Structure formats: C-alpha cells, structure tokens
mmCIF file with all atom_site columns, all heavy atoms in Angstrom:
data_model
loop_
_atom_site.group_PDB
_atom_site.id
_atom_site.type_symbol
_atom_site.label_atom_id
_atom_site.label_alt_id
_atom_site.label_comp_id
_atom_site.label_asym_id
_atom_site.label_entity_id
_atom_site.label_seq_id
_atom_site.pdbx_PDB_ins_code
_atom_site.Cartn_x
_atom_site.Cartn_y
_atom_site.Cartn_z
_atom_site.occupancy
_atom_site.B_iso_or_equiv
_atom_site.pdbx_formal_charge
_atom_site.auth_seq_id
_atom_site.auth_comp_id
_atom_site.auth_asym_id
_atom_site.auth_atom_id
_atom_site.pdbx_PDB_model_num
ATOM 1   N N   . LYS A 1 1  ? 0.831  -1.199 0.000   1.00 0.00 ? 131 LYS A N   1
ATOM 2   C CA  . LYS A 1 1  ? 0.000  0.000  0.000   1.00 0.00 ? 131 LYS A CA  1
ATOM 3   C C   . LYS A 1 1  ? 0.868  1.253  0.000   1.00 0.00 ? 131 LYS A C   1
ATOM 4   O O   . LYS A 1 1  ? 0.605  2.246  -0.679  1.00 0.00 ? 131 LYS A O   1
ATOM 5   C CB  . LYS A 1 1  ? -0.930 0.012  1.221   1.00 0.00 ? 131 LYS A CB  1
ATOM 6   C CG  . LYS A 1 1  ? -2.076 -0.969 1.104   1.00 0.00 ? 131 LYS A CG  1
ATOM 7   C CD  . LYS A 1 1  ? -2.954 -0.887 2.341   1.00 0.00 ? 131 LYS A CD  1
ATOM 8   C CE  . LYS A 1 1  ? -4.135 -1.865 2.241   1.00 0.00 ? 131 LYS A CE  1
ATOM 9   N NZ  . LYS A 1 1  ? -4.972 -1.813 3.459   1.00 0.00 ? 131 LYS A NZ  1
ATOM 10  N N   . GLY A 1 2  ? 1.954  1.188  0.818   1.00 0.00 ? 132 GLY A N   1
ATOM 11  C CA  . GLY A 1 2  ? 2.852  2.359  0.884   1.00 0.00 ? 132 GLY A CA  1
ATOM 12  C C   . GLY A 1 2  ? 3.531  2.634  -0.446  1.00 0.00 ? 132 GLY A C   1
ATOM 13  O O   . GLY A 1 2  ? 3.666  3.770  -0.881  1.00 0.00 ? 132 GLY A O   1
ATOM 14  N N   . LEU A 1 3  ? 3.923  1.522  -1.132  1.00 0.00 ? 133 LEU A N   1
ATOM 15  C CA  . LEU A 1 3  ? 4.585  1.697  -2.427  1.00 0.00 ? 133 LEU A CA  1
ATOM 16  C C   . LEU A 1 3  ? 3.641  2.282  -3.465  1.00 0.00 ? 133 LEU A C   1
ATOM 17  O O   . LEU A 1 3  ? 3.995  3.151  -4.249  1.00 0.00 ? 133 LEU A O   1
ATOM 18  C CB  . LEU A 1 3  ? 5.115  0.345  -2.926  1.00 0.00 ? 133 LEU A CB  1
ATOM 19  C CG  . LEU A 1 3  ? 6.356  -0.194 -2.201  1.00 0.00 ? 133 LEU A CG  1
ATOM 20  C CD1 . LEU A 1 3  ? 6.653  -1.627 -2.629  1.00 0.00 ? 133 LEU A CD1 1
ATOM 21  C CD2 . LEU A 1 3  ? 7.551  0.711  -2.488  1.00 0.00 ? 133 LEU A CD2 1
ATOM 22  N N   . LYS A 1 4  ? 2.347  1.751  -3.452  1.00 0.00 ? 134 LYS A N   1
ATOM 23  C CA  . LYS A 1 4  ? 1.367  2.267  -4.413  1.00 0.00 ? 134 LYS A CA  1
ATOM 24  C C   . LYS A 1 4  ? 1.090  3.739  -4.159  1.00 0.00 ? 134 LYS A C   1
ATOM 25  O O   . LYS A 1 4  ? 0.971  4.538  -5.081  1.00 0.00 ? 134 LYS A O   1
ATOM 26  C CB  . LYS A 1 4  ? 0.065  1.469  -4.296  1.00 0.00 ? 134 LYS A CB  1
ATOM 27  C CG  . LYS A 1 4  ? 0.176  0.064  -4.882  1.00 0.00 ? 134 LYS A CG  1
ATOM 28  C CD  . LYS A 1 4  ? -1.150 -0.673 -4.727  1.00 0.00 ? 134 LYS A CD  1
ATOM 29  C CE  . LYS A 1 4  ? -1.048 -2.076 -5.329  1.00 0.00 ? 134 LYS A CE  1
ATOM 30  N NZ  . LYS A 1 4  ? -2.315 -2.810 -5.178  1.00 0.00 ? 134 LYS A NZ  1
ATOM 31  N N   . LYS A 1 5  ? 0.964  4.083  -2.874  1.00 0.00 ? 135 LYS A N   1
ATOM 32  C CA  . LYS A 1 5  ? 0.692  5.481  -2.527  1.00 0.00 ? 135 LYS A CA  1
ATOM 33  C C   . LYS A 1 5  ? 1.849  6.386  -2.966  1.00 0.00 ? 135 LYS A C   1
ATOM 34  O O   . LYS A 1 5  ? 1.659  7.463  -3.521  1.00 0.00 ? 135 LYS A O   1
ATOM 35  C CB  . LYS A 1 5  ? 0.462  5.590  -1.016  1.00 0.00 ? 135 LYS A CB  1
ATOM 36  C CG  . LYS A 1 5  ? -0.027 6.957  -0.562  1.00 0.00 ? 135 LYS A CG  1
ATOM 37  C CD  . LYS A 1 5  ? -0.338 6.929  0.913   1.00 0.00 ? 135 LYS A CD  1
ATOM 38  C CE  . LYS A 1 5  ? -0.863 8.284  1.392   1.00 0.00 ? 135 LYS A CE  1
ATOM 39  N NZ  . LYS A 1 5  ? -1.159 8.288  2.843   1.00 0.00 ? 135 LYS A NZ  1
ATOM 40  N N   . GLY A 1 6  ? 3.079  5.913  -2.732  1.00 0.00 ? 136 GLY A N   1
ATOM 41  C CA  . GLY A 1 6  ? 4.253  6.705  -3.128  1.00 0.00 ? 136 GLY A CA  1
ATOM 42  C C   . GLY A 1 6  ? 4.366  6.844  -4.629  1.00 0.00 ? 136 GLY A C   1
ATOM 43  O O   . GLY A 1 6  ? 4.734  7.875  -5.157  1.00 0.00 ? 136 GLY A O   1
ATOM 44  N N   . LEU A 1 7  ? 3.975  5.736  -5.348  1.00 0.00 ? 137 LEU A N   1
ATOM 45  C CA  . LEU A 1 7  ? 4.041  5.763  -6.800  1.00 0.00 ? 137 LEU A CA  1
ATOM 46  C C   . LEU A 1 7  ? 3.071  6.792  -7.371  1.00 0.00 ? 137 LEU A C   1
ATOM 47  O O   . LEU A 1 7  ? 3.388  7.538  -8.289  1.00 0.00 ? 137 LEU A O   1
ATOM 48  C CB  . LEU A 1 7  ? 3.726  4.377  -7.355  1.00 0.00 ? 137 LEU A CB  1
ATOM 49  C CG  . LEU A 1 7  ? 3.825  4.202  -8.879  1.00 0.00 ? 137 LEU A CG  1
ATOM 50  C CD1 . LEU A 1 7  ? 5.220  4.543  -9.357  1.00 0.00 ? 137 LEU A CD1 1
ATOM 51  C CD2 . LEU A 1 7  ? 3.439  2.781  -9.267  1.00 0.00 ? 137 LEU A CD2 1
ATOM 52  N N   . LYS A 1 8  ? 1.854  6.841  -6.808  1.00 0.00 ? 138 LYS A N   1
ATOM 53  C CA  . LYS A 1 8  ? 0.849  7.803  -7.258  1.00 0.00 ? 138 LYS A CA  1
ATOM 54  C C   . LYS A 1 8  ? 1.353  9.233  -7.047  1.00 0.00 ? 138 LYS A C   1
ATOM 55  O O   . LYS A 1 8  ? 1.198  10.100 -7.892  1.00 0.00 ? 138 LYS A O   1
ATOM 56  C CB  . LYS A 1 8  ? -0.463 7.604  -6.501  1.00 0.00 ? 138 LYS A CB  1
ATOM 57  C CG  . LYS A 1 8  ? -1.223 6.370  -6.941  1.00 0.00 ? 138 LYS A CG  1
ATOM 58  C CD  . LYS A 1 8  ? -2.520 6.226  -6.139  1.00 0.00 ? 138 LYS A CD  1
ATOM 59  C CE  . LYS A 1 8  ? -3.294 4.987  -6.594  1.00 0.00 ? 138 LYS A CE  1
ATOM 60  N NZ  . LYS A 1 8  ? -4.529 4.821  -5.804  1.00 0.00 ? 138 LYS A NZ  1
ATOM 61  N N   . LYS A 1 9  ? 1.972  9.479  -5.886  1.00 0.00 ? 139 LYS A N   1
ATOM 62  C CA  . LYS A 1 9  ? 2.510  10.819 -5.606  1.00 0.00 ? 139 LYS A CA  1
ATOM 63  C C   . LYS A 1 9  ? 3.617  11.183 -6.600  1.00 0.00 ? 139 LYS A C   1
ATOM 64  O O   . LYS A 1 9  ? 3.720  12.304 -7.079  1.00 0.00 ? 139 LYS A O   1
ATOM 65  C CB  . LYS A 1 9  ? 3.056  10.897 -4.182  1.00 0.00 ? 139 LYS A CB  1
ATOM 66  C CG  . LYS A 1 9  ? 1.967  10.933 -3.117  1.00 0.00 ? 139 LYS A CG  1
ATOM 67  C CD  . LYS A 1 9  ? 2.587  11.079 -1.743  1.00 0.00 ? 139 LYS A CD  1
ATOM 68  C CE  . LYS A 1 9  ? 1.518  11.184 -0.651  1.00 0.00 ? 139 LYS A CE  1
ATOM 69  N NZ  . LYS A 1 9  ? 2.128  11.314 0.692   1.00 0.00 ? 139 LYS A NZ  1
ATOM 70  N N   . GLY A 1 10 ? 4.440  10.165 -6.904  1.00 0.00 ? 140 GLY A N   1
ATOM 71  C CA  . GLY A 1 10 ? 5.547  10.419 -7.826  1.00 0.00 ? 140 GLY A CA  1
ATOM 72  C C   . GLY A 1 10 ? 5.061  10.763 -9.209  1.00 0.00 ? 140 GLY A C   1
ATOM 73  O O   . GLY A 1 10 ? 5.548  11.675 -9.863  1.00 0.00 ? 140 GLY A O   1
ATOM 74  N N   . ILE A 1 11 ? 3.999  10.008 -9.671  1.00 0.00 ? 141 ILE A N   1
ATOM 75  C CA  . ILE A 1 11 ? 3.435  10.278 -10.994 1.00 0.00 ? 141 ILE A CA  1
ATOM 76  C C   . ILE A 1 11 ? 2.818  11.657 -11.039 1.00 0.00 ? 141 ILE A C   1
ATOM 77  O O   . ILE A 1 11 ? 2.973  12.412 -11.995 1.00 0.00 ? 141 ILE A O   1
ATOM 78  C CB  . ILE A 1 11 ? 2.378  9.204  -11.349 1.00 0.00 ? 141 ILE A CB  1
ATOM 79  C CG1 . ILE A 1 11 ? 3.067  7.844  -11.558 1.00 0.00 ? 141 ILE A CG1 1
ATOM 80  C CG2 . ILE A 1 11 ? 1.597  9.591  -12.596 1.00 0.00 ? 141 ILE A CG2 1
ATOM 81  C CD1 . ILE A 1 11 ? 2.113  6.690  -11.716 1.00 0.00 ? 141 ILE A CD1 1
ATOM 82  N N   . ALA A 1 12 ? 2.122  12.018 -9.964  1.00 0.00 ? 142 ALA A N   1
ATOM 83  C CA  . ALA A 1 12 ? 1.510  13.347 -9.903  1.00 0.00 ? 142 ALA A CA  1
ATOM 84  C C   . ALA A 1 12 ? 2.565  14.444 -9.963  1.00 0.00 ? 142 ALA A C   1
ATOM 85  O O   . ALA A 1 12 ? 2.416  15.453 -10.651 1.00 0.00 ? 142 ALA A O   1
ATOM 86  C CB  . ALA A 1 12 ? 0.678  13.475 -8.615  1.00 0.00 ? 142 ALA A CB  1
ATOM 87  N N   . ALA A 1 13 ? 3.658  14.230 -9.226  1.00 0.00 ? 143 ALA A N   1
ATOM 88  C CA  . ALA A 1 13 ? 4.730  15.235 -9.215  1.00 0.00 ? 143 ALA A CA  1
ATOM 89  C C   . ALA A 1 13 ? 5.361  15.378 -10.591 1.00 0.00 ? 143 ALA A C   1
ATOM 90  O O   . ALA A 1 13 ? 5.649  16.475 -11.060 1.00 0.00 ? 143 ALA A O   1
ATOM 91  C CB  . ALA A 1 13 ? 5.807  14.839 -8.187  1.00 0.00 ? 143 ALA A CB  1
ATOM 92  N N   . LEU A 1 14 ? 5.557  14.194 -11.254 1.00 0.00 ? 144 LEU A N   1
ATOM 93  C CA  . LEU A 1 14 ? 6.140  14.240 -12.590 1.00 0.00 ? 144 LEU A CA  1
ATOM 94  C C   . LEU A 1 14 ? 5.225  14.957 -13.570 1.00 0.00 ? 144 LEU A C   1
ATOM 95  O O   . LEU A 1 14 ? 5.668  15.709 -14.443 1.00 0.00 ? 144 LEU A O   1
ATOM 96  C CB  . LEU A 1 14 ? 6.422  12.822 -13.103 1.00 0.00 ? 144 LEU A CB  1
ATOM 97  C CG  . LEU A 1 14 ? 7.635  12.109 -12.494 1.00 0.00 ? 144 LEU A CG  1
ATOM 98  C CD1 . LEU A 1 14 ? 7.647  10.636 -12.905 1.00 0.00 ? 144 LEU A CD1 1
ATOM 99  C CD2 . LEU A 1 14 ? 8.914  12.793 -12.933 1.00 0.00 ? 144 LEU A CD2 1
ATOM 100 N N   . THR A 1 15 ? 3.913  14.755 -13.419 1.00 0.00 ? 145 THR A N   1
ATOM 101 C CA  . THR A 1 15 ? 2.949  15.413 -14.297 1.00 0.00 ? 145 THR A CA  1
ATOM 102 C C   . THR A 1 15 ? 2.998  16.913 -14.135 1.00 0.00 ? 145 THR A C   1
ATOM 103 O O   . THR A 1 15 ? 3.013  17.667 -15.103 1.00 0.00 ? 145 THR A O   1
ATOM 104 C CB  . THR A 1 15 ? 1.525  14.908 -13.990 1.00 0.00 ? 145 THR A CB  1
ATOM 105 O OG1 . THR A 1 15 ? 1.497  13.488 -14.150 1.00 0.00 ? 145 THR A OG1 1
ATOM 106 C CG2 . THR A 1 15 ? 0.502  15.540 -14.924 1.00 0.00 ? 145 THR A CG2 1
ATOM 107 N N   . VAL A 1 16 ? 3.047  17.358 -12.873 1.00 0.00 ? 146 VAL A N   1
ATOM 108 C CA  . VAL A 1 16 ? 3.131  18.787 -12.603 1.00 0.00 ? 146 VAL A CA  1
ATOM 109 C C   . VAL A 1 16 ? 4.413  19.373 -13.182 1.00 0.00 ? 146 VAL A C   1
ATOM 110 O O   . VAL A 1 16 ? 4.432  20.432 -13.790 1.00 0.00 ? 146 VAL A O   1
ATOM 111 C CB  . VAL A 1 16 ? 3.050  19.062 -11.074 1.00 0.00 ? 146 VAL A CB  1
ATOM 112 C CG1 . VAL A 1 16 ? 3.366  20.518 -10.778 1.00 0.00 ? 146 VAL A CG1 1
ATOM 113 C CG2 . VAL A 1 16 ? 1.665  18.706 -10.548 1.00 0.00 ? 146 VAL A CG2 1
ATOM 114 N N   . THR A 1 17 ? 5.514  18.633 -12.980 1.00 0.00 ? 147 THR A N   1
ATOM 115 C CA  . THR A 1 17 ? 6.815  19.100 -13.500 1.00 0.00 ? 147 THR A CA  1
ATOM 116 C C   . THR A 1 17 ? 6.795  19.219 -15.023 1.00 0.00 ? 147 THR A C   1
ATOM 117 O O   . THR A 1 17 ? 7.260  20.197 -15.600 1.00 0.00 ? 147 THR A O   1
ATOM 118 C CB  . THR A 1 17 ? 7.938  18.131 -13.077 1.00 0.00 ? 147 THR A CB  1
ATOM 119 O OG1 . THR A 1 17 ? 7.935  18.031 -11.671 1.00 0.00 ? 147 THR A OG1 1
ATOM 120 C CG2 . THR A 1 17 ? 9.300  18.632 -13.553 1.00 0.00 ? 147 THR A CG2 1
ATOM 121 N N   . ALA A 1 18 ? 6.191  18.173 -15.668 1.00 0.00 ? 148 ALA A N   1
ATOM 122 C CA  . ALA A 1 18 ? 6.109  18.198 -17.131 1.00 0.00 ? 148 ALA A CA  1
ATOM 123 C C   . ALA A 1 18 ? 5.279  19.366 -17.610 1.00 0.00 ? 148 ALA A C   1
ATOM 124 O O   . ALA A 1 18 ? 5.628  20.034 -18.590 1.00 0.00 ? 148 ALA A O   1
ATOM 125 C CB  . ALA A 1 18 ? 5.502  16.878 -17.635 1.00 0.00 ? 148 ALA A CB  1
ATOM 126 N N   . MET A 1 19 ? 4.170  19.643 -16.909 1.00 0.00 ? 149 MET A N   1
ATOM 127 C CA  . MET A 1 19 ? 3.338  20.782 -17.283 1.00 0.00 ? 149 MET A CA  1
ATOM 128 C C   . MET A 1 19 ? 4.098  22.085 -17.134 1.00 0.00 ? 149 MET A C   1
ATOM 129 O O   . MET A 1 19 ? 4.002  22.986 -17.960 1.00 0.00 ? 149 MET A O   1
ATOM 130 C CB  . MET A 1 19 ? 2.079  20.808 -16.409 1.00 0.00 ? 149 MET A CB  1
ATOM 131 C CG  . MET A 1 19 ? 1.089  19.687 -16.742 1.00 0.00 ? 149 MET A CG  1
ATOM 132 S SD  . MET A 1 19 ? -0.301 19.674 -15.606 1.00 0.00 ? 149 MET A SD  1
ATOM 133 C CE  . MET A 1 19 ? -1.078 21.218 -16.018 1.00 0.00 ? 149 MET A CE  1
ATOM 134 N N   . ALA A 1 20 ? 4.876  22.151 -16.057 1.00 0.00 ? 150 ALA A N   1
ATOM 135 C CA  . ALA A 1 20 ? 5.656  23.377 -15.823 1.00 0.00 ? 150 ALA A CA  1
ATOM 136 C C   . ALA A 1 20 ? 6.667  23.595 -16.935 1.00 0.00 ? 150 ALA A C   1
ATOM 137 O O   . ALA A 1 20 ? 6.832  24.688 -17.462 1.00 0.00 ? 150 ALA A O   1
ATOM 138 C CB  . ALA A 1 20 ? 6.373  23.284 -14.462 1.00 0.00 ? 150 ALA A CB  1
ATOM 139 N N   . PHE A 1 21 ? 7.366  22.487 -17.330 1.00 0.00 ? 151 PHE A N   1
ATOM 140 C CA  . PHE A 1 21 ? 8.333  22.602 -18.421 1.00 0.00 ? 151 PHE A CA  1
ATOM 141 C C   . PHE A 1 21 ? 7.646  22.956 -19.724 1.00 0.00 ? 151 PHE A C   1
ATOM 142 O O   . PHE A 1 21 ? 8.150  23.730 -20.528 1.00 0.00 ? 151 PHE A O   1
ATOM 143 C CB  . PHE A 1 21 ? 9.120  21.294 -18.608 1.00 0.00 ? 151 PHE A CB  1
ATOM 144 C CG  . PHE A 1 21 ? 10.327 21.202 -17.726 1.00 0.00 ? 151 PHE A CG  1
ATOM 145 C CD1 . PHE A 1 21 ? 10.364 20.312 -16.665 1.00 0.00 ? 151 PHE A CD1 1
ATOM 146 C CD2 . PHE A 1 21 ? 11.425 22.015 -17.963 1.00 0.00 ? 151 PHE A CD2 1
ATOM 147 C CE1 . PHE A 1 21 ? 11.478 20.244 -15.859 1.00 0.00 ? 151 PHE A CE1 1
ATOM 148 C CE2 . PHE A 1 21 ? 12.547 21.944 -17.154 1.00 0.00 ? 151 PHE A CE2 1
ATOM 149 C CZ  . PHE A 1 21 ? 12.574 21.054 -16.095 1.00 0.00 ? 151 PHE A CZ  1
ATOM 150 N N   . GLY A 1 22 ? 6.447  22.355 -19.936 1.00 0.00 ? 152 GLY A N   1
ATOM 151 C CA  . GLY A 1 22 ? 5.708  22.659 -21.155 1.00 0.00 ? 152 GLY A CA  1
ATOM 152 C C   . GLY A 1 22 ? 5.323  24.107 -21.224 1.00 0.00 ? 152 GLY A C   1
ATOM 153 O O   . GLY A 1 22 ? 5.454  24.766 -22.244 1.00 0.00 ? 152 GLY A O   1
ATOM 154 N N   . MET A 1 23 ? 4.896  24.683 -20.077 1.00 0.00 ? 153 MET A N   1
ATOM 155 C CA  . MET A 1 23 ? 4.530  26.091 -20.039 1.00 0.00 ? 153 MET A CA  1
ATOM 156 C C   . MET A 1 23 ? 5.755  26.963 -20.263 1.00 0.00 ? 153 MET A C   1
ATOM 157 O O   . MET A 1 23 ? 5.710  27.957 -20.965 1.00 0.00 ? 153 MET A O   1
ATOM 158 C CB  . MET A 1 23 ? 3.873  26.431 -18.703 1.00 0.00 ? 153 MET A CB  1
ATOM 159 C CG  . MET A 1 23 ? 2.491  25.807 -18.541 1.00 0.00 ? 153 MET A CG  1
ATOM 160 S SD  . MET A 1 23 ? 1.831  26.072 -16.884 1.00 0.00 ? 153 MET A SD  1
ATOM 161 C CE  . MET A 1 23 ? 1.540  27.826 -16.931 1.00 0.00 ? 153 MET A CE  1
ATOM 162 N N   . ALA A 1 24 ? 6.873  26.539 -19.637 1.00 0.00 ? 154 ALA A N   1
ATOM 163 C CA  . ALA A 1 24 ? 8.106  27.311 -19.823 1.00 0.00 ? 154 ALA A CA  1
ATOM 164 C C   . ALA A 1 24 ? 8.535  27.282 -21.275 1.00 0.00 ? 154 ALA A C   1
ATOM 165 O O   . ALA A 1 24 ? 8.985  28.275 -21.840 1.00 0.00 ? 154 ALA A O   1
ATOM 166 C CB  . ALA A 1 24 ? 9.225  26.738 -18.933 1.00 0.00 ? 154 ALA A CB  1
ATOM 167 N N   . GLY A 1 25 ? 8.371  26.072 -21.916 1.00 0.00 ? 155 GLY A N   1
ATOM 168 C CA  . GLY A 1 25 ? 8.742  25.959 -23.323 1.00 0.00 ? 155 GLY A CA  1
ATOM 169 C C   . GLY A 1 25 ? 7.893  26.859 -24.181 1.00 0.00 ? 155 GLY A C   1
ATOM 170 O O   . GLY A 1 25 ? 8.378  27.506 -25.101 1.00 0.00 ? 155 GLY A O   1
#
C-alpha cells in the first residue's frame, strides 16, 4: 500500500513538473 501510494505521488509530481516545463517551453 505504501509503495502504491508513493508511486501515485511520484506520478503526480512528474505530471506537474512536465506541465511546468511545457509552459516554460
């Protein structure tokens, strides 16, 4: 459960980061 929860957080963070880079681009 802890791994799944951490994985979801990681994916969310990566999505936000990608959006930020996309906006910067």
